[in-house]
Amino acid sequence: MMKTVGELKEFIKDLPDDMLLANYESNMEISDYRNRLSCDVVNMKTKTKYSWDRFDGTDYSYEVLERAEDGVPCLIIS
């Protein structure tokens, strides 16, 4: 799993510039890989969220990124 642009650059450094990009799309009509990808840079902040396991009821926390004006720039790939 990659977490930084540097890790992404290292991973793709030897790939040809004309290699197609593929993204999995799943909705009510389409479930397949397509040659459609978009990128944006957005300020985001880490936030802790809480939930519980639906099988055994165990509480747990996890971190997400949320848009925030006072956050740090993040590359969003979708």
Side-chain angles (χ1 to χ4, degrees):
M1 177 168 316
M2 290 176 231
K3 292 190 174 191
T4 67
V5 169
E7 291 170 334
L8 175 60
K9 285 180 178 180
E10 177 63 24
F11 182 79
I12 67 172
K13 70 179 169 54
D14 296 324
L15 300 178
D17 288 343
D18 60 350
M19 179 181 276
L20 295 178
L21 299 173
N23 190 31
Y24 190 77
E25 186 174 330
S26 181
N27 58 44
M28 292 179 65
E29 300 167 356
I30 298 169
S31 291
D32 224 326
Y33 287 94
R34 301 187 69 194
N35 181 225
R36 295 170 16 136
L37 193 78
S38 65
C39 297
D40 195 7
V41 175
V42 175
N43 285 351
M44 301 186 93
K45 236 182 194 181
T46 302
K47 179 179 180 178
T48 302
K49 288 193 171 185
Y50 302 89
S51 191
W52 69 96
D53 186 292
R54 301 313 192 258
F55 294 104
D56 66 11
T58 304
D59 292 329
Y60 66 93
S61 63
Y62 60 99
E63 289 189 347
V64 297
L65 292 171
E66 291 188 341
R67 291 175 187 254
E69 271 193 42
D70 61 339
V72 298
C74 294
L75 175 64
I76 297 182
I77 301 171
S78 56

